[in-house]
Amino acid sequence: MALSLVHSTLFSKTSHLLLHTKIGFSHFSSSIPFSTSALPSNPKTWRRPVISVLELGGVKIARDDVVRDDPTNNVPDTIFSKLGLQLHRRDQHPLGILKNTIHDYFDTNYSNKFDKFDELCPIVSVKQNFDDVLVPADHVSRSYNDTYYVDSQTVLRCHTSAHQAELLRKGHTHFLVTGDVYRRDSIDSTHYPVFHQMEGFRVFSPDEWEASGMDGTSFAAEDLKKCLEGLATHLFGAVEMRWVDTYFPFTNPSFELEIYFKEKWLEVLGCGVTEQEILKRNGKLNNVAWAFGLGLERLAMVLFDIPDIRLFWSDDERFTSQFSKGQLGTKFKPFSRYPPCYKDMSFWISESFTENNLCEVVRGIAGDLVEE
């Protein structure tokens, strides 16, 4: 059976697989165009070197701490090498510019009430990543095909919500958490296995909503929508907005905010009123709270007109020199004329086939330019 890798999941029997590869960027490339004829005959001679130690939050982490000889470990060197880069902490990078702009909004409108965290270690326990935010035991996100496992009880965080419970237990009631998050995914112009999120959280005490005459849930939902509508205006200007009901395991009710931007509806973020069980588990028995989460790359691609998510990782001066600290919305200027190159190949796969294992082997050799 011929199958497209980008749409396939797990296979229960031997199948025939059709790979459609896309090499190169649609509007740009490195300064030297990619071609197979330019590659050395021995692949090992052109693999990127892998760092052996990195520092996260003042703690040194060795490669062997993350890329282990463990049957449950599925973290490749290419992902380990991204751990210490922290693009969101670079003030002249589009992600850093966006993060700082959001911080400015909260500082201005909430008198520096929100504590900010942007250097929390992305290596967390399964409990932090899933259990603490009520992700069901059978949820697909827990699978080895979707999540990077360091060992059976440790993962690379899939979302910044992994720090929510810890911060609540430490007494924080208003906080913003920004960081790199990791999910096993395909790589193309809009998908990458490493990206950046910001989590916002606010806790209310009974006296705050009782004076309003509203119940706690309604009060928190109204405050949340007012806050995020203001943030959307701060980022995008005067735009039409709408709220869409949705589902998240850790909030109820849950919403998505969409804005009408460049003649189409764009999803900006997800949010909701925090499930009471999360608050009770972490010492907030009589409180209500709201939370939101947004993807920095998704918004930055729109605000800066960046057409390919892989560009955020580029050290090419033709990219990095286009952006300046505090300048939100500078429009990216493409810098290459080379078109993509398409190749097809097919082969037989066994019953043990897992698509992300294969994809990471290919990308470990050919780099992130390989698509689909």
Side-chain angles (χ1 to χ4, degrees), residues 74-230:
N74 60 1
V75 183
D77 285 334
T78 51
I79 295 300
F80 172 75
S81 66
K82 299 291 194 296
L83 281 173
L85 297 183
Q86 297 187 314
L87 302 182
H88 59 285
R89 303 187 75 234
R90 302 181 184 183
D91 290 342
Q92 293 184 311
H93 190 280
L95 299 182
I97 295 168
L98 176 56
K99 180 202 74 173
N100 291 335
T101 302
I102 297 173
H103 282 182
D104 289 343
Y105 168 79
F106 280 91
D107 287 344
T108 300
N109 290 276
Y110 295 92
S111 302
N112 296 305
K113 183 179 290 187
F114 280 79
D115 301 321
K116 304 176 193 66
F117 303 89
D118 66 359
E119 202 179 4
L120 299 177
C121 183
I123 303 171
V124 300
S125 67
V126 168
K127 179 179 182 297
Q128 288 175 291
N129 197 71
F130 296 121
D131 300 333
D132 283 351
V133 288
L134 309 183
V135 175
D138 60 350
H139 196 275
V140 65
S141 64
R142 291 180 182 254
S143 74
Y144 288 96
N145 193 62
D146 286 13
T147 295
Y148 287 108
Y149 280 80
V150 176
D151 57 42
S152 62
Q153 298 301 316
T154 312
V155 299
L156 301 183
R157 65 185 171 208
C158 300
H159 45 199
T160 46
S161 302
H163 304 284
Q164 195 178 99
E166 175 189 0
L167 293 174
L168 284 172
R169 287 194 297 269
K170 289 182 177 180
H172 298 283
T173 58
H174 297 65
F175 53 85
L176 302 171
V177 179
T178 311
D180 40 335
V181 297
Y182 299 79
R183 298 179 189 174
R184 300 187 78 188
D185 201 353
S186 59
I187 289 182
D188 55 35
S189 61
T190 58
H191 298 86
Y192 202 77
V194 189
F195 55 103
H196 297 76
Q197 281 188 342
M198 179 182 290
E199 165 105 354
F201 203 93
R202 183 179 187 184
V203 178
F204 298 92
S205 57
D207 60 315
E208 291 181 89
W209 73 77
E210 288 173 353
S212 70
M214 304 170 67
D215 64 88
T217 298
S218 299
F219 180 85
E222 183 176 292
D223 184 86
L224 171 65
K225 290 182 176 181
K226 179 181 178 181
C227 169
L228 296 179
E229 286 172 359

Side-chain angles (χ1 to χ4, degrees), residues 132-134 164 168 201 217 247-254 272-282 284 287-291:
D132 283 351
V133 288
L134 309 183
Q164 195 178 99
L168 284 172
F201 203 93
T217 298
Y247 165 79
F248 301 114
F250 28 78
T251 55
N252 183 28
S254 302
V273 179
T274 306
E275 284 282 5
Q276 286 299 116
E277 181 62 25
I278 293 177
L279 295 174
K280 290 178 181 178
R281 289 183 183 182
N282 296 288
K284 307 294 181 184
N287 303 92
V288 296
W290 56 242

Side-chain angles (χ1 to χ4, degrees), residues 331-344:
K331 302 307 179 185
F332 167 75
K333 296 181 177 62
F335 49 77
S336 176
R337 65 183 183 278
Y338 297 106
C341 174
Y342 293 93
K343 301 291 181 185
D344 290 329

Side-chain angles (χ1 to χ4, degrees), residues 317-333:
E317 288 187 1
R318 293 177 297 174
F319 176 76
T320 58
S321 64
Q322 293 190 34
F323 309 100
S324 302
K325 179 179 179 180
Q327 299 299 310
L328 182 70
T330 300
K331 302 307 179 185
F332 167 75
K333 296 181 177 62

